[in-house]
Amino acid sequence: MLSRRKVLAGLGLLSAIVITHADRVQTAQQPWVFRLEEATIADVQRAIQEGQTTCRGVVQAYVNRARAYNGTANQLVTDETASKYLPNYDEYRAAVEATKSLPDGDPKKTPPIELGRWESTSSDPETKQQYGMLVGIPNAGQLRALSMINIRGERSVTCKGEFDNKTKRPAGAPKVCDEFSQQPDALERAAELDAQYGRNPDLNAMPMYCVPFSFKDPYDVMDLRSTGGADARYDMDFAPRDQTLVAQLRKKGAIIYAKANTTEYNGRGGNPGGKNYPTKILPSTLGYQRSSWGGNPVNSYDTTRAGSIGSSSGSGVSVGSNLVMCSLCEETGASCRGPANHNSDALILPHKAMLSFHGGAIGASIFQDRAGIICRNVVDSVKVLDALKDPVNGYYDPRDIFTTVPRSSYPTEPFIKSITAGTPGALKGMRIGIIREFMTKQVAADNAIVDAAGAEMKAMLGDFLGATLVESTPAGFIDDPAVENMSTSFDKAIAALAPVLYPELLFELTPAGQPKYPEFAAKIEPTEFAPGKTFGTGTMQPIDWMVRWADGLEKTPAGLNLRSVLGATQANTFRFHISQYLERRAQDWKARGFTETLNNWAQLNARSKFWGDDQRAAFKNWEEIRDIRDPFMEQQGIPQQIQLREFLRRVVMKVMQENKLDVLVQVHSTQPPGKIGLAPEPYLNDTAASYPFGPNAGLTEVLIPAGYVRTVYDPSFVLTTDANGKKVYRSRTGTTPLTLPEPGLPFSINFIAEPGMEPLIFKVATAYQSASHRRVSPPMFGPVPGEPGASPIVRK
């Protein structure tokens, strides 16, 4: 067994680890001193018990950090500066002028770029926000991670300023402010806890005592503006009741501190198609994990780059930059994992049905939306998960239909008992399967993270912690002779299960209307793949080919693999869910004696403003959808979503069972965060990323910081003409390396297990993080003057 020092030295990371922890090391002669930066839950509670700080002091310190670092971090791209970011912009502008008489949506029309501008919001004319095209400001020193902080007078527009005065409100204050103003803000609540408990809080009853949380904006909160990140003019912009998890944390002693910025409505819902088209377009929405009300966050390690690829951007950035201790995120596709990955956070993302999300929150896809927990240390995330359990109902929530799962899937013991110290050999006897399908090198930009993650898994999980590693060996990955191969691969599991659970995979068509898997079409007799689409030049009946394929007698068609089976038709449930949310919110207000008139899609659109015209058009199309079903003779999104989950879960379990695996591990993304508002990596439009795997399979996932990379290959825009003659900006893969300053950009490794096996995954994740200590605090956002523990620290 190798020592940790030898393992780190072999990876070339020893010096980085020493630097990371030097300012936290306490010698035997030095007393422990509380330091806010990188503080854990245990640190805060110990500091209060020892009298080094108070709960109010902790909250005030976080307020001070927000005042210092939560400003605007993006700059507008205007007509005068557009050519700096968009090549041949004059040529594009000429095409706009030449086709301006064509109607919006005409495939021959080159629409104008939606350039950046400041405008008043719909919710509050006194508040201005950035609209249109933005880019990040280099070395901004600001983050824009939080949209609202729970400070009296600043936490609501409805009850803004003196309308939130607890004792005397001016004439004209809405009646609801009489109730709202009686709720303490974060500082007042902290002072109440100090007065009640002093240095002796009841940590058994209140395990989250004095932990300041941010919440992704879609979570309803009674004492903070709650509009799903939208600039929507509600009659009451705070919620009539807490979302289920928010209520649990409030009861367990947490400080309900702030709303985290988000891509509004958890990813803006997409566009279902219809008669409404944008009048202007954005050349890219990369890094626009953005709220029309709150603005656009930036990355904690490079403020020109995306705060995340995933809508819970503010959650990941606020935790990663030490603006809060922990945050509740929400994931539809990559909305928790992206922010945690790009900001070096520790994330627990339980399976779809474990935690309530729809018990008082705005979702994007009812089949994928799930709650997650982001902290800097995974032990803290485990503590939060335990605290979210209701003493009577457990994790069940009658307001969320997806929590209707067998009670046997939940362990009876607290999850905190699963944590394991990262001592040598701590994972000996465990078998960890490496999913290599998402570690193939498609472009140069993949190289750094694929290589670093592979070395990390072998050195820390295998050599140091003692687990047996077992790898899949997909096409395109070079087999590592030092790592055991899976006897049953994902390819074999797909072949065995697809004929029975998901035969439609073989009949999928490309956007051009041709078979996605031509090798299959070449083997079978002429067969209808879709209405009016017949293919097949062979002699076998499709059902007979599938029998042979399932038994290994037919070769899997090229390109059919774990990456290619992850997609599914999106259902029209966004139309249903927003309607349900608005109606429920209005009914809850009615029960309290108030009237909320923003209670349907028409009112939502009439009273909203969007940072991009694409969203205005999309939301009008959503409003006009009349049926939750997809059109007849088309793929049906609802059954396909459910079918895909059943299929993927059984593929995963077949691989795990037949290889005797305890957990799986993969790389969340082989790509570092891209430049805000600029060209995205084009190959990611294919099925190269792991993003849909966990959400579609509904598995429990844990992300842990695994290191940093300093070499990136940023893609670029190229102006081209499409088949209709329209000018379009497309992306070109980067081939020129750029070296970033230390520590670089973070990446994570992603542990996965099936529902009910959370104790195993927490054992592996806590052992790995405590052994590796890969997280480095963002250098640009260090302690502010007067911050606890800041004065002795000297930054290099």
Side-chain angles (χ1 to χ4, degrees):
M1 184 67 62
L2 294 177
S3 71
R4 179 171 176 273
R5 178 169 290 273
K6 287 182 179 179
V7 168
L8 297 177
L11 287 173
L13 292 170
L14 183 58
S15 60
I17 297 302
V18 173
I19 291 170
T20 301
H21 292 277
D23 57 5
R24 295 184 64 86
V25 172
Q26 302 291 332
T27 67
Q29 292 75 34
Q30 292 176 321
W32 180 78
V33 176
F34 173 61
R35 181 183 175 200
L36 187 77
E37 188 184 26
E38 300 297 300
T40 65
I41 292 173
D43 290 339
V44 166
Q45 294 173 347
R46 176 183 176 183
I48 292 171
Q49 290 171 321
E50 292 185 0
Q52 293 192 37
T53 189
T54 62
C55 185
R56 194 186 189 285
V58 170
V59 176
Q60 184 64 62
Y62 279 110
V63 171
N64 294 345
R65 288 186 63 82
R67 299 294 194 212
Y69 294 136
N70 198 49
T72 298
N74 293 266
Q75 57 189 336
L76 304 175
V77 177
T78 65
D79 196 57
E80 291 74 24
T81 61
S83 58
K84 179 179 178 181
Y85 305 102
L86 300 173
N88 305 112
Y89 180 63
D90 287 342
E91 182 182 342
Y92 185 92
R93 190 162 47 183
V96 171
E97 182 66 22
T99 61
K100 67 179 181 181
S101 62
L102 296 174
D104 294 331
D106 189 307
K108 297 179 180 179
K109 181 172 183 173
T110 300
I113 300 295
E114 185 160 12
L115 296 169
R117 63 205 184 275
W118 284 97
E119 290 182 3
S120 294
T121 62
S122 172
S123 301
D124 182 6
E126 295 180 356
T127 299
K128 292 186 179 294
Q129 190 50 270
Q130 293 176 317
Y131 295 80
M133 188 174 177
L134 306 174
V135 292
I137 300 172
N139 302 309
Q142 300 295 324
L143 293 159
R144 203 63 192 121
L146 304 174
S147 59
M148 296 293 269
I149 300 176
N150 198 347
I151 297 175
R152 187 171 296 280
E154 301 179 24
R155 53 188 177 164
S156 163
V157 174
T158 306
C159 299
K160 180 182 175 182
E162 286 302 303
F163 287 178
D164 195 13
N165 190 307
K166 187 174 182 179
T167 57
K168 185 178 180 182
R169 286 166 296 287
K175 182 65 175 175
V176 73
C177 298
D178 292 344
E179 292 187 11
F180 180 79
S181 62
Q182 301 309 303
Q183 298 182 86
D185 70 6
L187 289 165
E188 293 164 351
R189 177 57 181 154
E192 288 177 354
L193 292 174
D194 286 331
Q196 184 173 359
Y197 295 101
R199 292 170 57 175
N200 298 293
D202 185 351
L203 298 183
N204 289 323
M206 295 188 295
M208 293 292 102
Y209 186 86
C210 201
V211 179
F213 275 81
S214 69
F215 300 86
K216 186 177 183 180
D217 205 354
Y219 287 93
D220 276 355
V221 177
M222 292 192 302
D223 46 5
L224 275 169
R225 176 181 170 92
S226 298
T227 64
D231 177 19
R233 197 173 65 257
Y234 286 82
D235 298 311
M236 281 82 67
D237 68 346
F238 42 88
R241 60 193 289 189
D242 283 336
Q243 193 268 355
T244 302
L245 304 184
V246 178
Q248 283 297 326
L249 290 174
R250 199 186 290 274
K251 287 191 293 186
K252 303 295 175 61
I255 300 297
I256 309 303
Y257 172 68
K259 278 300 187 79
N261 255 338
T262 175
T263 315
E264 58 201 69
Y265 304 108
N266 305 322
R268 312 176 82 208
N271 191 331
K275 67 182 183 182
N276 300 284
Y277 296 93
T279 59
K280 299 178 180 180
I281 65 164
L282 294 157
S284 167
T285 56
L286 175 66
Y288 289 168
Q289 280 66 53
R290 181 175 177 185
S291 161
S292 293
W293 168 254
N296 192 59
V298 298
N299 192 272
S300 303
Y301 295 88
D302 182 344
T303 56
T304 67
R305 296 182 183 273
S308 71
I309 304 300
S311 62
S312 300
S313 52
S315 291
V317 175
S318 63
V319 172
S321 58
N322 288 280
L323 294 185
V324 297
M325 289 198 68
C326 294
S327 185
L328 289 193
C329 60
E330 174 279 340
E331 173 159 310
T332 306
S335 306
C336 286
R337 289 171 297 155
N341 180 74
H342 288 338
N343 294 279
S344 202
D345 299 324
L347 164 70
I348 291 179
L349 191 60
H351 65 86
K352 164 65 181 170
M354 184 173 184
L355 293 180
S356 169
F357 175 71
H358 292 287
I362 303 177
S365 172
I366 199 167
F367 300 104
Q368 281 89 30
D369 296 332
R370 53 178 172 161
I373 304 160
I374 295 179
C375 302
R376 288 178 294 276
N377 187 296
V378 69
V379 173
D380 283 355
S381 300
V382 173
K383 290 180 178 180
V384 174
L385 181 59
D386 278 334
L388 292 174
K389 185 176 183 180
D390 184 85
V392 176
N393 292 327
Y395 291 108
Y396 176 71
D397 179 6
R399 291 202 292 170
D400 188 332
I401 62 171
F402 281 93
T403 60
T404 51
V405 296
R407 289 168 291 178
S408 60
S409 66
Y410 298 123
T412 56
E413 294 291 325
F415 289 117
I416 197 66
K417 292 190 176 182
S418 306
I419 66 172
T420 301
T423 54
L427 302 182
K428 188 174 182 179
M430 296 192 73
R431 291 172 62 83
I432 299 177
I434 303 175
I435 305 175
R436 299 291 197 190
E437 275 76 359
F438 305 113
M439 295 177 69
T440 56
K441 297 176 182 178
Q442 309 289 327
V443 293
D446 292 327
N447 295 349
I449 289 178
V450 168
D451 290 343
E456 181 77 0
M457 292 171 185
K458 286 181 65 176
M460 294 307 303
L461 295 174
D463 294 344
F464 183 74
L465 292 172
T468 297
L469 303 181
V470 186
E471 67 179 359
S472 62
T473 53
F477 186 84
I478 300 175
D479 186 16
D480 186 340
V483 177
E484 180 184 332
N485 289 346
M486 292 182 180
S487 57
T488 296
S489 66
F490 285 99
D491 290 348
K492 287 182 179 180
I494 289 169
L497 292 166
V500 176
L501 297 179
Y502 211 173
E504 295 89 339
L505 286 172
L506 277 299
F507 297 94
E508 289 182 358
L509 301 178
T510 67
Q514 295 300 306
K516 187 175 180 179
Y517 305 110
E519 291 173 316
F520 167 65
K523 285 291 189 80
I524 64 170
E525 63 188 13
T527 303
E528 195 171 37
F529 278 48
K533 294 281 188 178
T534 296
F535 300 97
T537 57
T539 59
M540 296 182 67
Q541 294 180 351
I543 195 168
D544 291 330
W545 184 92
M546 288 192 182
V547 169
R548 289 175 55 78
W549 182 43
D551 288 339
L553 301 176
E554 291 289 338
K555 183 180 178 182
T556 296
L560 201 169
N561 51 45
L562 187 60
R563 297 192 307 274
S564 70
V565 302
L566 297 181
T569 300
Q570 290 300 310
N572 288 333
T573 50
F574 186 61
R575 170 69 170 79
F576 168 88
H577 185 58
I578 294 293
S579 298
Q580 184 183 60
Y581 169 82
L582 294 175
E583 181 61 30
R584 284 180 172 180
R585 179 168 173 151
Q587 289 301 317
D588 285 342
W589 276 121
K590 184 178 181 180
R592 290 179 52 180
F594 299 99
T595 300
E596 176 58 73
T597 57
L598 200 168
N599 59 6
N600 57 63
W601 269 97
Q603 282 293 312
L604 180 68
N605 279 332
R607 293 158 66 173
S608 294
K609 193 171 180 179
F610 301 102
W611 54 260
D613 197 55
D614 59 337
Q615 184 71 347
R616 176 204 58 80
F619 263 49
K620 285 299 294 181
N621 286 334
W622 278 114
E623 178 187 334
E624 293 166 7
I625 285 179
R626 300 177 62 245
D627 195 336
I628 198 170
R629 299 170 300 174
D630 292 289
F632 293 124
M633 305 303 290
E634 291 186 10
Q635 290 182 332
Q636 296 294 308
I638 292 176
Q640 193 174 96
Q641 294 279 346
I642 297 169
Q643 183 181 16
L644 180 60
R645 175 154 298 166
E646 175 75 4
F647 171 64
L648 287 176
R649 277 198 180 180
R650 292 190 180 276
V651 166
V652 168
M653 288 316 306
K654 185 173 179 64
V655 169
M656 295 188 74
Q657 292 273 23
E658 296 189 11
N659 291 289
K660 308 299 182 187
L661 302 176
D662 295 292
V663 299
L664 298 168
V665 66
Q666 67 176 14
V667 176
H668 166 67
S669 173
T670 59
Q671 295 278 309
K675 292 280 191 174
I676 292 170
L678 300 182
E681 176 55 55
Y683 98 90
L684 290 180
N685 294 328
D686 198 359
T687 51
S690 68
Y691 305 155
F693 181 43
N696 284 335
L699 303 170
T700 295
E701 301 178 77
V702 178
L703 263 73
I704 304 296
Y708 296 78
V709 295
R710 294 184 58 200
T711 300
V712 296
Y713 294 80
D714 289 326
S716 59
F717 279 129
V718 58
L719 182 62
T720 186
T721 304
D722 71 8
N724 298 305
K726 180 172 66 177
K727 291 292 184 182
V728 292
Y729 280 107
R730 294 217 162 100
S731 296
R732 179 167 48 199
T733 294
T735 56
T736 302
L738 174 67
T739 301
L740 303 175
E742 290 186 351
L745 294 169
F747 69 92
S748 301
I749 58 175
N750 180 189
F751 298 101
I752 301 173
E754 74 273 27
M757 289 287 118
E758 286 77 18
L760 280 180
I761 199 171
F762 297 157
K763 175 181 178 179
V764 173
T766 54
Y768 169 71
Q769 186 169 36
S770 65
S772 60
H773 294 295
R774 292 294 182 239
R775 177 178 159 79
V776 177
S777 189
M780 196 182 304
F781 302 101
V784 300
E787 186 172 301
S791 53
I793 306 303
V794 178
R795 289 268 171 188
K796 294 185 179 180

